[in-house]
Amino acid sequence: MASVTDMNVVSSSSVEVGIQNQQELKKGIADLYDESSGIWEDIWGDHMHHGYYEPQSSVELSDHRAAQIRMIEKALSFAAISDPAKKPTSIVDVGCGIGGSSRYLAKKYGATAKGITLSPVQAERAQALADAQGLGDKVSFQVADALNQPFPDGQFDLVWSMESGEHMPNKEKFVGELARVAAPGGTIILVTWCHRDLSPSEESLTPEEKELLNKICKAFYLPAWCSTADYVRLLQSNSLQDIKAEDWSENVAPFWPAVIKSALTWKGFTSVLRSGWKTIKAALAMPLMIEGYKKGLIKFAIITCRKPE
Protein backbone atom coordinates (compact mmCIF):
# COMPACT_ATOMS: atom_id res chain seq x y z
CA MET A 1 0.00 0.00 0.00
CA ALA A 2 1.26 3.47 -0.85
CA SER A 3 2.36 5.72 1.99
CA VAL A 4 0.05 8.40 3.38
CA THR A 5 2.14 11.08 1.69
CA ASP A 6 1.37 9.45 -1.67
CA MET A 7 -2.33 10.14 -1.13
CA ASN A 8 -2.27 13.57 -2.77
CA VAL A 9 -0.58 12.12 -5.86
CA VAL A 10 -3.27 9.49 -6.26
CA SER A 11 -6.18 11.81 -5.47
CA SER A 12 -4.97 14.48 -7.86
CA SER A 13 -6.18 12.26 -10.71
CA SER A 14 -9.71 13.47 -10.02
CA VAL A 15 -9.07 17.12 -9.16
CA GLU A 16 -10.64 18.39 -12.36
CA VAL A 17 -13.74 16.25 -11.82
CA GLY A 18 -16.69 17.69 -9.90
CA ILE A 19 -17.80 21.08 -8.65
CA GLN A 20 -14.82 23.03 -7.32
CA ASN A 21 -16.43 26.20 -5.88
CA GLN A 22 -17.25 25.25 -2.29
CA GLN A 23 -19.97 27.84 -1.72
CA GLU A 24 -21.68 26.85 -4.98
CA LEU A 25 -21.36 23.22 -3.94
CA LYS A 26 -22.84 23.72 -0.45
CA LYS A 27 -25.75 25.75 -1.80
CA GLY A 28 -26.39 23.19 -4.54
CA ILE A 29 -26.42 20.31 -2.04
CA ALA A 30 -28.77 22.14 0.32
CA ASP A 31 -31.13 23.17 -2.50
CA LEU A 32 -31.17 19.68 -4.03
CA TYR A 33 -32.17 18.06 -0.74
CA ASP A 34 -34.57 20.85 0.16
CA GLU A 35 -36.35 20.08 -3.13
CA SER A 36 -36.17 16.31 -3.21
CA SER A 37 -36.38 15.01 0.37
CA GLY A 38 -40.19 15.18 0.52
CA ILE A 39 -40.50 13.11 -2.66
CA TRP A 40 -38.02 10.56 -1.39
CA GLU A 41 -39.82 10.19 1.94
CA ASP A 42 -43.21 9.88 0.25
CA ILE A 43 -42.09 7.09 -2.07
CA TRP A 44 -39.21 5.40 -0.22
CA GLY A 45 -39.58 6.30 3.44
CA ASP A 46 -37.17 8.02 5.79
CA HIS A 47 -33.93 6.23 4.88
CA MET A 48 -32.18 8.16 2.12
CA HIS A 49 -29.55 5.58 1.16
CA HIS A 50 -28.94 2.38 -0.77
CA GLY A 51 -30.39 -0.94 0.34
CA TYR A 52 -28.36 -4.11 0.89
CA TYR A 53 -29.30 -7.12 -1.26
CA GLU A 54 -27.92 -10.59 -1.69
CA PRO A 55 -26.00 -10.86 -5.00
CA GLN A 56 -28.14 -11.74 -8.03
CA SER A 57 -31.27 -11.73 -5.88
CA SER A 58 -34.65 -11.12 -7.47
CA VAL A 59 -36.39 -8.33 -5.60
CA GLU A 60 -39.71 -6.57 -5.73
CA LEU A 61 -40.25 -2.86 -5.14
CA SER A 62 -41.77 -3.72 -1.75
CA ASP A 63 -38.43 -5.24 -0.66
CA HIS A 64 -36.43 -2.06 -0.87
CA ARG A 65 -37.37 -0.42 2.43
CA ALA A 66 -36.40 -3.63 4.23
CA ALA A 67 -33.13 -3.61 2.27
CA GLN A 68 -32.35 -0.12 3.59
CA ILE A 69 -32.72 -1.35 7.17
CA ARG A 70 -30.59 -4.35 6.24
CA MET A 71 -27.89 -1.93 5.04
CA ILE A 72 -27.76 -0.35 8.50
CA GLU A 73 -27.59 -3.72 10.23
CA LYS A 74 -24.93 -5.05 7.86
CA ALA A 75 -22.82 -1.94 8.46
CA LEU A 76 -23.11 -2.37 12.23
CA SER A 77 -22.19 -6.03 11.95
CA PHE A 78 -19.19 -5.27 9.71
CA ALA A 79 -17.94 -2.84 12.35
CA ALA A 80 -18.58 -5.42 15.10
CA ILE A 81 -21.04 -3.10 16.85
CA SER A 82 -23.16 -6.20 17.47
CA ASP A 83 -20.72 -6.94 20.31
CA PRO A 84 -22.61 -5.91 23.50
CA ALA A 85 -19.38 -4.43 24.88
CA LYS A 86 -19.35 -1.93 21.98
CA LYS A 87 -22.94 -0.74 22.38
CA PRO A 88 -22.86 3.00 21.67
CA THR A 89 -24.42 5.55 23.99
CA SER A 90 -23.74 8.73 21.97
CA ILE A 91 -23.98 8.89 18.17
CA VAL A 92 -23.41 11.53 15.51
CA ASP A 93 -25.01 11.08 12.09
CA VAL A 94 -22.92 13.08 9.62
CA GLY A 95 -25.09 13.96 6.63
CA CYS A 96 -28.24 12.75 8.33
CA GLY A 97 -30.87 13.32 5.63
CA ILE A 98 -34.26 13.30 7.33
CA GLY A 99 -32.82 11.40 10.26
CA GLY A 100 -33.68 7.80 9.44
CA SER A 101 -30.39 6.36 10.68
CA SER A 102 -30.29 8.64 13.74
CA ARG A 103 -33.73 7.53 14.93
CA TYR A 104 -33.11 3.87 14.12
CA LEU A 105 -29.81 3.78 15.99
CA ALA A 106 -31.14 5.76 18.96
CA LYS A 107 -34.05 3.32 19.31
CA LYS A 108 -31.86 0.26 18.81
CA TYR A 109 -29.29 1.20 21.43
CA GLY A 110 -31.19 3.55 23.73
CA ALA A 111 -28.55 6.10 22.78
CA THR A 112 -28.58 9.83 22.21
CA ALA A 113 -27.99 10.92 18.61
CA LYS A 114 -27.21 14.20 16.90
CA GLY A 115 -27.65 14.62 13.15
CA ILE A 116 -26.19 17.30 10.91
CA THR A 117 -27.15 18.27 7.37
CA LEU A 118 -26.72 21.24 5.04
CA SER A 119 -30.45 21.23 4.28
CA PRO A 120 -32.76 23.26 6.57
CA VAL A 121 -35.75 21.35 5.19
CA GLN A 122 -34.15 18.04 6.15
CA ALA A 123 -33.20 19.19 9.64
CA GLU A 124 -36.71 20.46 10.36
CA ARG A 125 -38.38 17.32 9.01
CA ALA A 126 -35.96 15.03 10.85
CA GLN A 127 -36.74 16.73 14.16
CA ALA A 128 -40.49 16.63 13.51
CA LEU A 129 -40.31 12.87 12.89
CA ALA A 130 -38.21 12.34 16.01
CA ASP A 131 -40.69 14.31 18.11
CA ALA A 132 -43.63 12.39 16.62
CA GLN A 133 -41.93 9.09 17.49
CA GLY A 134 -41.30 10.14 21.09
CA LEU A 135 -37.57 10.55 20.52
CA GLY A 136 -37.36 14.31 20.94
CA ASP A 137 -35.38 13.97 24.17
CA LYS A 138 -32.92 11.53 22.57
CA VAL A 139 -32.39 12.78 19.03
CA SER A 140 -31.70 16.27 17.71
CA PHE A 141 -30.83 17.73 14.32
CA GLN A 142 -29.21 20.93 13.09
CA VAL A 143 -27.88 22.59 9.97
CA ALA A 144 -24.09 22.29 10.08
CA ASP A 145 -21.07 21.66 7.89
CA ALA A 146 -19.47 18.21 8.21
CA LEU A 147 -16.09 19.83 7.55
CA ASN A 148 -16.51 22.06 10.61
CA GLN A 149 -18.70 20.13 13.02
CA PRO A 150 -20.18 22.10 15.95
CA PHE A 151 -19.12 19.52 18.53
CA PRO A 152 -16.25 19.27 21.01
CA ASP A 153 -13.45 16.75 20.58
CA GLY A 154 -14.14 13.16 21.56
CA GLN A 155 -17.90 13.44 22.07
CA PHE A 156 -19.31 10.39 20.25
CA ASP A 157 -18.61 6.69 20.60
CA LEU A 158 -20.24 6.00 17.23
CA VAL A 159 -19.53 8.31 14.30
CA TRP A 160 -21.88 7.37 11.46
CA SER A 161 -21.64 8.62 7.88
CA MET A 162 -24.04 6.86 5.51
CA GLU A 163 -23.55 8.12 1.95
CA SER A 164 -22.47 11.66 2.72
CA GLY A 165 -18.72 11.45 2.06
CA GLU A 166 -19.23 11.80 -1.68
CA HIS A 167 -20.48 15.35 -1.11
CA MET A 168 -17.35 16.43 0.81
CA PRO A 169 -15.03 18.74 -1.16
CA ASN A 170 -12.09 18.18 1.19
CA LYS A 171 -11.80 14.49 2.02
CA GLU A 172 -8.79 15.05 4.28
CA LYS A 173 -10.68 17.55 6.43
CA PHE A 174 -13.79 15.35 6.38
CA VAL A 175 -11.92 12.35 7.74
CA GLY A 176 -10.11 14.57 10.23
CA GLU A 177 -13.44 15.80 11.60
CA LEU A 178 -14.81 12.25 11.88
CA ALA A 179 -11.72 11.33 13.88
CA ARG A 180 -11.82 14.49 16.00
CA VAL A 181 -15.38 14.07 17.27
CA ALA A 182 -14.97 10.34 17.91
CA ALA A 183 -14.44 9.43 21.56
CA PRO A 184 -11.36 7.41 22.52
CA GLY A 185 -12.21 3.81 21.68
CA GLY A 186 -15.11 4.98 19.53
CA THR A 187 -16.08 3.47 16.18
CA ILE A 188 -16.29 5.27 12.84
CA ILE A 189 -18.52 3.81 10.12
CA LEU A 190 -18.14 5.39 6.69
CA VAL A 191 -20.32 4.15 3.82
CA THR A 192 -19.73 6.08 0.65
CA TRP A 193 -19.44 6.19 -3.13
CA CYS A 194 -15.87 5.90 -4.41
CA HIS A 195 -14.18 5.54 -7.74
CA ARG A 196 -12.19 2.37 -8.38
CA ASP A 197 -8.74 2.00 -6.89
CA LEU A 198 -5.93 2.87 -9.26
CA SER A 199 -3.41 0.20 -10.17
CA PRO A 200 0.27 0.82 -9.33
CA SER A 201 0.95 1.68 -12.97
CA GLU A 202 -1.87 4.26 -13.21
CA GLU A 203 -1.55 7.93 -12.37
CA SER A 204 -5.21 8.78 -12.98
CA LEU A 205 -8.55 7.54 -14.16
CA THR A 206 -9.05 7.39 -17.92
CA PRO A 207 -10.48 10.45 -19.71
CA GLU A 208 -13.68 8.49 -20.41
CA GLU A 209 -14.05 7.62 -16.73
CA LYS A 210 -13.49 11.24 -15.69
CA GLU A 211 -16.10 12.39 -18.20
CA LEU A 212 -18.71 10.01 -16.80
CA LEU A 213 -17.99 11.03 -13.21
CA ASN A 214 -18.14 14.70 -14.14
CA LYS A 215 -21.65 14.27 -15.56
CA ILE A 216 -22.73 12.59 -12.32
CA CYS A 217 -21.07 15.32 -10.25
CA LYS A 218 -22.96 18.07 -12.03
CA ALA A 219 -26.29 16.32 -11.48
CA PHE A 220 -25.82 15.36 -7.82
CA TYR A 221 -23.67 18.31 -6.67
CA LEU A 222 -20.53 16.32 -5.98
CA PRO A 223 -16.91 17.47 -5.76
CA ALA A 224 -13.89 15.35 -6.68
CA TRP A 225 -14.21 11.62 -6.00
CA CYS A 226 -11.59 9.49 -4.31
CA SER A 227 -10.95 5.78 -4.03
CA THR A 228 -11.42 3.42 -1.10
CA ALA A 229 -7.63 3.16 -0.86
CA ASP A 230 -7.46 6.96 -0.54
CA TYR A 231 -9.86 6.86 2.41
CA VAL A 232 -7.85 4.08 4.07
CA ARG A 233 -4.68 6.16 3.80
CA LEU A 234 -6.44 9.18 5.28
CA LEU A 235 -7.70 7.11 8.21
CA GLN A 236 -4.17 5.80 8.75
CA SER A 237 -2.83 9.35 8.72
CA ASN A 238 -5.19 10.12 11.64
CA SER A 239 -3.72 7.17 13.60
CA LEU A 240 -7.02 5.27 13.53
CA GLN A 241 -6.92 1.54 14.20
CA ASP A 242 -8.62 -1.69 13.10
CA ILE A 243 -9.29 -0.22 9.65
CA LYS A 244 -11.40 -2.49 7.47
CA ALA A 245 -12.83 -1.86 4.02
CA GLU A 246 -15.03 -3.86 1.68
CA ASP A 247 -16.65 -3.35 -1.71
CA TRP A 248 -20.41 -3.80 -1.50
CA SER A 249 -21.14 -2.73 -5.08
CA GLU A 250 -22.64 -6.09 -5.96
CA ASN A 251 -24.89 -5.91 -2.90
CA VAL A 252 -26.43 -2.57 -3.94
CA ALA A 253 -26.85 -3.42 -7.64
CA PRO A 254 -30.69 -3.58 -7.56
CA PHE A 255 -30.98 -0.13 -5.96
CA TRP A 256 -30.67 2.32 -8.86
CA PRO A 257 -32.91 0.32 -11.23
CA ALA A 258 -35.52 0.32 -8.45
CA VAL A 259 -35.22 4.10 -7.97
CA ILE A 260 -35.66 4.63 -11.70
CA LYS A 261 -38.67 2.30 -11.70
CA SER A 262 -40.27 4.25 -8.86
CA ALA A 263 -39.60 7.54 -10.69
CA LEU A 264 -41.42 6.21 -13.74
CA THR A 265 -44.64 5.55 -11.86
CA TRP A 266 -47.28 8.26 -12.26
CA LYS A 267 -46.82 9.32 -8.64
CA GLY A 268 -43.04 9.44 -8.99
CA PHE A 269 -43.05 11.18 -12.35
CA THR A 270 -45.46 13.94 -11.34
CA SER A 271 -43.66 14.44 -8.01
CA VAL A 272 -40.29 14.88 -9.73
CA LEU A 273 -41.77 17.37 -12.21
CA ARG A 274 -43.30 19.43 -9.40
CA SER A 275 -40.19 19.44 -7.25
CA GLY A 276 -37.88 21.60 -9.33
CA TRP A 277 -35.05 21.58 -11.84
CA LYS A 278 -32.36 20.23 -9.50
CA THR A 279 -34.42 17.13 -8.74
CA ILE A 280 -35.25 16.64 -12.43
CA LYS A 281 -31.56 16.90 -13.33
CA ALA A 282 -30.65 14.34 -10.66
CA ALA A 283 -33.38 11.97 -11.85
CA LEU A 284 -32.12 12.16 -15.44
CA ALA A 285 -28.62 11.23 -14.26
CA MET A 286 -29.65 8.03 -12.48
CA PRO A 287 -28.83 5.79 -15.48
CA LEU A 288 -25.28 7.17 -15.35
CA MET A 289 -24.87 5.66 -11.87
CA ILE A 290 -25.90 2.26 -13.25
CA GLU A 291 -23.39 2.69 -16.08
CA GLY A 292 -20.65 3.58 -13.60
CA TYR A 293 -21.33 0.52 -11.47
CA LYS A 294 -21.49 -1.81 -14.49
CA LYS A 295 -18.16 -0.51 -15.80
CA GLY A 296 -16.50 -1.05 -12.43
CA LEU A 297 -15.77 2.67 -12.14
CA ILE A 298 -18.09 3.41 -9.21
CA LYS A 299 -17.63 1.42 -6.03
CA PHE A 300 -19.95 1.29 -3.04
CA ALA A 301 -17.54 1.08 -0.13
CA ILE A 302 -17.84 0.48 3.58
CA ILE A 303 -14.87 1.50 5.70
CA THR A 304 -14.79 1.13 9.46
CA CYS A 305 -12.17 1.85 12.10
CA ARG A 306 -11.64 2.61 15.76
CA LYS A 307 -10.10 5.59 17.53
CA PRO A 308 -7.35 4.56 19.95
CA GLU A 309 -8.23 4.51 23.64
Side-chain angles (χ1 to χ4, degrees):
M1 180 174 285
S3 69
V4 173
T5 55
D6 291 334
M7 199 281 177
N8 288 333
V9 176
V10 176
S11 291
S12 66
S13 65
S14 297
V15 161
E16 68 271 31
V17 172
I19 297 171
Q20 299 303 308
N21 183 298
Q22 291 200 23
Q23 289 306 311
E24 175 191 349
L25 179 68
K26 287 172 66 174
K27 185 178 187 305
I29 294 168
D31 289 348
L32 172 62
Y33 288 114
D34 281 351
E35 279 187 9
S36 64
S37 294
I39 300 170
W40 184 271
E41 181 186 358
D42 191 32
I43 296 174
W44 277 73
D46 60 354
H47 292 281
M48 299 182 67
H49 57 78
H50 283 69
Y52 185 99
Y53 310 84
E54 295 306 319
Q56 280 85 50
S57 60
S58 176
V59 295
E60 299 296 328
L61 197 59
S62 58
D63 299 330
H64 296 299
R65 293 194 186 192
Q68 290 173 310
I69 299 298
R70 192 157 55 244
M71 174 64 73
I72 296 174
E73 289 293 341
K74 289 286 187 180
L76 295 170
S77 178
F78 185 80
I81 300 291
S82 53
D83 182 345
K86 294 186 177 181
K87 179 180 175 182
T89 59
S90 59
I91 301 164
V92 62
D93 185 356
V94 181
C96 62
I98 57 171
S101 291
S102 302
R103 291 187 297 275
Y104 183 87
L105 294 169
K107 284 188 281 189
K108 180 179 178 69
Y109 294 117
T112 59
K114 296 182 182 295
I116 59 173
T117 173
L118 289 176
S119 165
V121 170
Q122 286 188 336
E124 183 178 351
R125 180 59 179 158
Q127 193 64 58
L129 289 168
D131 293 344
Q133 294 171 22
L135 293 169
D137 61 334
K138 287 281 192 180
V139 185
S140 63
F141 302 92
Q142 61 185 296
V143 175
D145 187 347
L147 302 185
N148 186 24
Q149 296 185 35
F151 308 119
D153 296 357
Q155 183 168 349
F156 304 102
D157 48 21
L158 175 57
V159 177
W160 176 271
S161 174
M162 175 63 71
E163 297 188 53
S164 63
E166 53 271 14
H167 282 299
M168 304 301 165
N170 185 328
K171 301 296 193 285
E172 184 175 4
K173 192 169 183 182
F174 171 55
V175 170
E177 279 291 273
L178 298 181
R180 182 184 68 78
V181 301
T187 297
I188 297 171
I189 299 179
L190 172 61
V191 182
T192 189
W193 311 354
C194 294
H195 69 60
R196 65 175 179 81
D197 289 342
L198 300 180
S199 69
S201 62
E202 289 181 302
E203 292 186 359
S204 69
L205 298 172
T206 68
E208 293 77 16
E209 288 174 326
K210 291 179 182 179
E211 182 180 2
L212 177 56
L213 287 185
N214 209 35
K215 291 177 182 177
I216 293 170
C217 288
K218 289 176 180 177
F220 292 117
Y221 291 91
L222 306 178
W225 294 52
C226 72
S227 68
T228 306
D230 291 335
Y231 269 121
V232 169
R233 284 187 281 273
L234 283 175
L235 293 167
Q236 290 172 332
S237 74
N238 281 273
S239 301
L240 295 162
Q241 300 177 343
D242 301 333
I243 302 170
K244 298 193 302 178
E246 199 163 87
D247 178 9
W248 283 1
S249 302
E250 192 175 5
N251 300 101
V252 301
F255 176 78
W256 285 99
V259 174
I260 292 173
K261 186 175 180 181
S262 66
L264 293 176
T265 63
W266 179 250
K267 179 180 181 181
F269 180 71
T270 54
S271 296
V272 168
L273 287 181
R274 285 197 305 268
S275 66
W277 170 241
K278 287 182 171 64
T279 306
I280 294 169
K281 187 169 63 170
L284 292 173
M286 290 189 292
L288 299 177
M289 289 294 296
I290 296 174
E291 181 182 351
Y293 276 121
K294 285 184 175 179
K295 289 182 173 178
L297 169 61
I298 297 175
K299 299 294 183 181
F300 189 91
I302 179 168
I303 311 159
T304 64
C305 60
R306 184 177 57 83
K307 190 170 181 176
E309 296 279 0

